[in-house]
Amino acid sequence: MGTVFSIAVRDPGPGTPEAVRRIAERLHRIDAVFSTYRPDSDISRLGRGELALDDCDPEVRTVLATCREVAAETDGYFTERPGGRLDPSGWVKGWAIEEAARLLRAAGARQFCVNGGGDVQTSGGPWRIGIAHPGKPGLLAAVLAGSGFAVATSGTAERGAHILDPHTGRPADGLASLTLAGAPGTGIARTDAWATAAFAMGPDRALAWVARQPGVEALAVLPDGTKRWTAGLPGHLPPSGPADWQPTAAY
């Protein structure tokens, strides 16, 4: 899927090596079906009209249906067809992380962190997650802390202005990055998809929208480096975090 996955397990047991092997197989299978980087994947062939939906892997139908659900939840700011091209990666990457987490839990692990391209699902904890600064390579915009939470960031640091506003078709440029932190029980798939959609909304609409979603907080970094956040975001700061993070008046 054009990214890197890593796994940290704090409580490895006898079944952990086999679980990691199964995770690698599962991720390769998801890649084979959904990767837009592979011309032979089901999703690429479906997008070109070479394969009918009924002839695709059954998970393709499920994923596309879920993408439509997320589109409805986000007022159409999430789409499986960014720029008119079939590409459900905004859901698939987070879902793949959740699949890895599921296999770890099945093997008995309870203290782990799965990182897929910078989006993270944790179990147990506490964990500290560094948020890359979009305008200062090698530096962090913040460090978030929590147990069993999910953290997803959308932004321009790695791939430039690649997120499109589905309503205009133009690149979203009101934010440099947007990080969502989901409370325990909030999976990384939805957290990641919501982060993509909210980034496309722009700073004011995004933060107001996230503030209405239970169990989710946001940290926005604007192109000039200014930071804005939702009222509960400081609750994810570690004890050593800045003392001056106060809720912004608008959110």
Side-chain angles (χ1 to χ4, degrees), residues 99-160:
E99 285 292 283
R102 178 181 63 82
L103 290 169
L104 286 172
R105 291 191 190 96
R110 296 296 179 267
Q111 296 278 344
F112 60 81
C113 174
V114 182
N115 183 329
D119 297 325
V120 175
Q121 178 74 62
T122 70
S123 177
W127 297 89
R128 291 165 63 96
I129 308 298
I131 308 303
H133 198 296
K136 300 176 181 178
L139 299 181
L140 298 178
V143 175
L144 305 184
S147 297
F149 71 148
V151 179
T153 298
S154 290
T156 60
E158 298 295 329
R159 297 171 57 192

Side-chain angles (χ1 to χ4, degrees), residues 34 43 58-68 88 91-92 95:
F34 290 98
I43 211 71
E59 289 186 318
V60 172
R61 183 180 294 275
T62 301
V63 162
L64 295 181
T66 305
C67 286
R68 290 190 290 272
W91 173 264
V92 169
W95 168 60

Side-chain angles (χ1 to χ4, degrees), residues 7 10 19 28 36 55 58 82 91 131 169 176-177 185 189 216 218 248:
I7 299 169
R10 289 177 175 169
H28 282 297
T36 59
D55 296 325
W91 173 264
I131 308 303
S177 73
V216 182
T248 59

